[in-house]
Amino acid sequence: MLPKGVGISFDDLDDLDASFVGSNVNSEPRPSLMGLSPLALLRAAGPGVADALAEDFGIVELPYGELGLTLAAVNRERSPRGLGPLA
């Protein structure tokens, strides 16, 4: 989502950007996690802990069909807030 070598610094991300990226990355099912997303696996292991962490970081589990795992998706999320593109 945030490719190397294009001049994007994590300092350029605000809290909502970080939440958007975290929600998308942690909602993607992974073969190495038995087809679960990292957030779903964490919820299975410790529901209270998972919910508290997700809330603290502003992460929500997104349906697979709504994942936006590209820089363009991050920039679309920034635009309505009046922020320019990251790259």
Side-chain angles (χ1 to χ4, degrees), residues 36-68:
L36 296 173
S37 69
L39 191 53
L41 186 63
L42 185 57
R43 280 202 175 105
V49 172
D51 292 337
L53 281 172
E55 184 178 331
D56 285 350
F57 288 103
I59 295 172
V60 296
E61 191 160 15
L62 302 170
Y64 181 76
E66 294 180 20
L67 296 180

Side-chain angles (χ1 to χ4, degrees), residues 15-87:
D15 291 346
L16 293 175
D17 294 332
S19 295
F20 179 79
V21 170
S23 293
N24 280 274
V25 169
N26 289 301
S27 294
E28 182 180 20
R30 312 277 170 84
S32 62
L33 301 177
M34 301 173 293
L36 296 173
S37 69
L39 191 53
L41 186 63
L42 185 57
R43 280 202 175 105
V49 172
D51 292 337
L53 281 172
E55 184 178 331
D56 285 350
F57 288 103
I59 295 172
V60 296
E61 191 160 15
L62 302 170
Y64 181 76
E66 294 180 20
L67 296 180
L69 298 169
T70 64
L71 178 58
V74 175
N75 287 331
R76 278 193 307 272
E77 178 71 19
R78 291 172 58 87
S79 181
R81 294 185 278 131
L83 300 174
L86 290 173

